[in-house]
Amino acid sequence: MTRKTVRLTMAQALVRYLCNQFTEIDGTRVPLFAGVFGIFGHGNVTCLSEALEQVQDQLPTWRGQNEQTMALAAIGFAKAKKRRQIMVAATSIGPGALNMVTAAGVAMANRLPVLLIAGDTFANRLPDPVLQQVEHFGDPTITANDAFKSVVRYWDRIVLPEQILQSLPQAVATMLDPADCGPAFIGLAQDTQELAYDYPEVFFAPKLWKIPRPRADRDAIAAAAELLKGAKRPLIISGGGVRYSDANGVVADFAARRGIPVVETIAGKGTVSHDHPVHAGPIGIVGSTSANALAKEADVILAIGTRLQDFTTGSWTAFAQDAQFISVNAARFDAVKHRALSVVGDARETVAELDAALGGWAADAGLMKRAKTLFAEWNKLLDDVQAPTNDPVPSYAQVVAVLNKVAGPNDTLISAAGGTPGEVVKGWKVKNPDTFDCEFGFSCMGYEIPAGWGCAMAQEGPGGTGGTPIVMLGDGTYMMANSDVYSAALTGHKMVVVVCDNGGYAVINRLQQAKGVPGFNNLLADCRIRNRDNPLHVDFVKHAEAMGAKAIRAEGLADLEAAMKEALAHDGITVVNIVSDAWKWVPGDADWDVGVPEVSQFETVRAARKAQEKIREAQRLGV
């Protein structure tokens, strides 16, 4: 029998393979790879771009402005698609590739799929050193692309054209595995991209990928059920894995029937709507008084789809020393943390099986009643701090309330590092599940605007909410990564970007001074400039207009509401700018472990050190 082959360059074969991978979203067959964010340079423009140009109607290529932000856009897309569809980010070699390392870290920390493809040096080494090649004198195999190894789940360098036959299926399988999910990186040697090879036609046969749902061990399910049955004050912590497993409804129904309150991590916020009967608020450092009080009292914590990051656990001060954990997670690595009874499996299927194993058991009715009382107190606190005042400069909390009021039920709020995460995690009242994205796994400044662009793309197809991304960020973050304002204007995608100008890196100034250090190099007024009494401020409206966006300056809260209504009615990108207060924050009641100097000339630092030592005394022991 003759084996049928097709002669293609390695780059052409790679692209053809990507075009023939499919998945299903809500019963609809769709391409697994929805598109490519690309910036071309000499390391990929002559071969990879030649291959992509031929399939632009099947695998669209979107022009990026910065390699890091286009990869962040791919991550925002993956989040909005709940990991069921993937974007590619393609760059040249050297600086272009290294610009994506930060984005790879975001995807790695958040367990999100993105395929990163970068050019590489010549496999034959004949023209070495080539343009943008770093040289390691003792190891000529090392290139800039080795920097990705610490921040991806799968890494490969293609130096022979036939190597993609093995590498590409492994990369895809890694990105779709619930336990191993994360970024995959493939480096393409420049001379290998051009080489032709007789590829087996079967390699390009259309393949429908289905995300597996691994079932948990039956004994582990039984043990978890017995532990829950003995609980007096159980609590459910819902993490991002609940959303990615499409387990929102199963977890909510389980909690309602069993009488267990649900609190949410940052990644898990949006598991249920704010007003759902089982919801008791966000937990942790940027969480609610209600969730944190329930965590302190809980004797058994059912942690579902969370890696229990320090912002969730209050650096492990949020729980009683003798509290017991049941950790349901697709990843064994996360499930075994902190002496938990680990139940390794898909969230949706595991919770359903745990429900069946519990029989007629339910928690004492007084537990949910207490949760509702605590949550009502928290909502009252929010209402108080978010209420409009006559102050000319509004607080973040007041801005959040206005955006929340105007937002439609399917609009998605997007934020990341800086002052906004704490304010939106505490203060944003989710109207519909899966309409909230706060990137705090890596806390990456600059994620917000590109993620909004990627989210806008995701909302257009199957699985999207159909709403508008509303990006909220501070002036410091806007200055760090704003080029995708132009990207969205160029491509015509609709989103709203709200820039709160509080005069610098206000939230880190807050932490700095809370730990006794005088304000230094964070607010514009405290950094080294020629005219400290009159620091130069950016005109964000003019800047956004220069990049093609509609831009509106809001002078106060009433102005902001009108501006948001105008922005949401506009079919394109709108940037809304408002001056906000750098000193007013929604109060919190959780602790956080950070480094504070053991010795210092400042009495304020010495006092902060003593307070930090008390926090560490309260930490739950274990790993």
Side-chain angles (χ1 to χ4, degrees):
M1 186 168 68
T2 304
R3 184 181 68 174
K4 292 185 177 180
T5 61
V6 57
R7 192 163 181 80
L8 300 167
T9 70
M10 184 271 282
Q12 293 164 356
L14 183 152
V15 169
R16 182 175 292 193
Y17 178 84
L18 297 182
C19 287
N20 282 289
Q21 309 310 301
F22 297 90
T23 188
E24 283 187 356
I25 297 179
D26 298 338
T28 301
R29 181 184 172 105
V30 297
L32 176 61
F33 294 97
V36 178
F37 291 107
I39 293 180
F40 296 131
H42 73 279
N44 64 353
V45 72
T46 55
C47 295
L48 185 62
S49 80
E50 186 267 352
L52 288 170
E53 191 278 337
Q54 298 175 51
V55 299
Q56 55 187 302
D57 293 333
Q58 185 178 358
L59 183 67
T61 297
W62 302 94
R63 180 186 181 278
Q65 321 307 321
N66 174 284
E67 293 86 356
Q68 176 179 317
T69 62
M70 73 180 190
L72 292 174
I75 294 167
F77 178 94
K79 266 196 176 187
K81 289 294 188 182
K82 293 190 284 188
R83 307 198 304 197
R84 292 175 292 175
Q85 211 172 8
I86 301 170
M87 292 291 282
V88 182
T91 77
S92 186
I93 75 168
L98 288 177
N99 279 349
M100 291 199 303
V101 172
T102 297
V106 173
M108 182 79 163
N110 287 280
R111 319 291 206 256
L112 291 166
V114 57
L115 179 58
L116 306 172
I117 298 176
D120 212 320
T121 56
F122 275 60
N124 65 26
R125 302 185 189 170
L126 292 178
D128 283 10
V130 298
L131 180 65
Q132 297 180 336
Q133 178 178 351
V134 297
E135 293 181 277
H136 285 255
F137 300 164
D139 187 347
T141 67
I142 294 177
T143 76
N145 288 337
D146 287 80
F148 284 93
K149 288 181 176 178
S150 66
V151 286
V152 297
R153 295 285 184 208
Y154 183 87
W155 185 97
D156 199 5
R157 175 182 288 124
I158 305 301
V159 296
L160 293 171
E162 59 267 39
Q163 288 176 338
I164 64 169
L165 294 170
Q166 181 273 341
S167 187
L168 291 178
Q170 291 291 344
V172 174
T174 299
M175 290 185 288
L176 294 181
D177 190 305
D180 292 339
C181 185
F185 172 84
I186 298 179
L188 309 178
Q190 290 177 71
D191 51 339
T192 308
Q193 290 181 50
E194 73 187 43
L195 295 179
Y197 182 78
D198 294 320
Y199 289 95
E201 283 191 351
V202 69
F203 182 62
F204 306 110
K207 176 166 182 174
L208 180 65
W209 293 82
K210 294 195 175 182
I211 298 174
R213 292 189 178 275
R215 268 51 172 188
D217 177 75
R218 290 177 181 174
D219 290 343
I221 292 282
E226 286 305 307
L227 186 53
L228 262 182
K229 286 177 181 179
K232 302 297 184 186
R233 298 172 303 280
L235 181 68
I236 293 173
I237 300 178
S238 179
V242 172
R243 295 174 58 193
Y244 297 142
S245 175
D246 260 342
N248 303 41
V250 171
V251 170
D253 291 346
F254 172 84
R257 278 199 313 279
R258 303 300 177 178
I260 309 175
V262 173
V263 299
E264 297 171 317
T265 69
I266 299 172
K269 186 176 172 73
T271 296
V272 294
S273 64
H274 182 81
D275 294 326
H276 193 284
V278 301
H279 185 225
I283 187 174
I285 293 168
V286 292
S288 59
T289 55
S290 52
N292 290 336
L294 291 168
K296 282 286 188 187
E297 298 168 2
D299 56 350
V300 176
I301 296 103
L302 178 58
I304 310 173
T306 171
R307 63 195 185 110
L308 296 173
Q309 184 214 35
D310 67 341
F311 260 61
T312 297
T313 67
S315 299
W316 288 105
T317 65
F319 310 101
Q321 290 287 339
D322 58 354
Q324 294 177 281
F325 280 78
I326 302 168
S327 186
V328 174
N329 208 293
R332 174 201 54 78
F333 184 90
D334 292 319
V336 301
K337 289 176 179 174
H338 239 266
R339 308 192 309 277
L341 192 169
S342 59
V343 186
V344 181
D346 172 74
R348 191 183 76 182
E349 300 305 319
T350 300
V351 170
E353 291 173 8
L354 178 59
D355 192 25
L358 284 169
W361 175 87
D364 186 280
L367 176 63
M368 192 64 80
K369 183 178 180 181
R370 172 156 173 75
K372 290 180 183 296
T373 299
L374 291 169
F375 194 43
E377 292 171 358
W378 170 249
N379 280 316
K380 174 64 168 58
L381 184 153
L382 279 183
D383 290 343
D384 290 344
V385 298
Q386 291 183 334
T389 62
N390 291 324
D391 292 344
V393 180
S395 67
Y396 263 140
Q398 292 170 320
V399 172
V400 169
V402 171
L403 304 189
N404 208 168
K405 175 184 176 182
V406 176
N410 292 323
D411 294 340
T412 298
L413 190 282
I414 298 173
S415 68
T420 57
E423 301 299 297
V424 298
V425 171
K426 291 177 181 178
W428 188 268
K429 297 176 180 178
V430 173
K431 298 176 181 179
N432 271 342
D434 300 322
T435 57
F436 185 88
D437 172 9
C438 179
E439 191 293 293
F440 220 66
F442 210 53
S443 183
C444 180
M445 292 181 73
Y447 170 82
E448 300 89 336
I449 296 175
W453 185 35
C455 180
M457 292 182 179
Q459 304 299 26
E460 295 175 346
T465 67
T468 300
I470 298 175
V471 174
M472 182 176 174
L473 73 168
D475 54 305
T477 301
Y478 180 92
M479 291 300 293
M480 193 170 285
N482 54 57
S483 61
D484 285 320
V485 168
Y486 172 71
S487 297
L490 182 66
T491 59
H493 286 95
K494 180 177 178 177
M495 56 189 284
V496 179
V497 178
V498 181
V499 183
C500 295
D501 183 358
N502 54 23
Y505 303 135
V507 75
I508 210 68
N509 173 74
R510 173 193 181 192
L511 175 62
Q512 183 181 51
Q513 297 201 39
K515 298 305 177 184
V517 182
F520 171 63
N521 202 47
N522 285 314
L523 296 181
L524 295 177
D526 296 329
C527 65
R528 187 179 294 276
I529 54 178
R530 288 184 180 273
N531 189 351
R532 181 170 291 186
D533 294 329
N534 187 27
L536 177 65
H537 281 80
V538 174
D539 189 325
F540 295 102
V541 169
K542 288 182 179 178
H543 185 270
E545 286 176 339
M547 289 196 289
K550 177 182 177 70
I552 307 170
R553 180 176 287 106
E555 300 296 345
L557 293 177
D559 240 12
L560 178 62
E561 183 170 346
M564 285 300 298
K565 289 178 179 177
E566 183 180 346
L568 287 167
H570 174 59
D571 189 20
I573 180 170
T574 306
V575 174
V576 177
N577 176 220
I578 185 168
V579 174
S580 58
D581 197 293
W583 303 97
K584 294 178 182 176
W585 308 91
V586 177
D589 63 343
D591 293 319
W592 189 26
D593 194 1
V594 296
V596 179
E598 226 177 337
V599 295
S600 173
Q601 64 176 335
F602 297 111
E603 172 56 34
T604 50
V605 172
R606 295 196 293 271
R609 171 70 186 193
K610 290 179 181 177
Q612 201 69 31
E613 289 170 351
K614 288 188 177 296
I615 290 173
R616 290 170 180 170
E617 289 172 4
Q619 283 178 321
R620 175 183 164 93
L621 299 179
V623 293

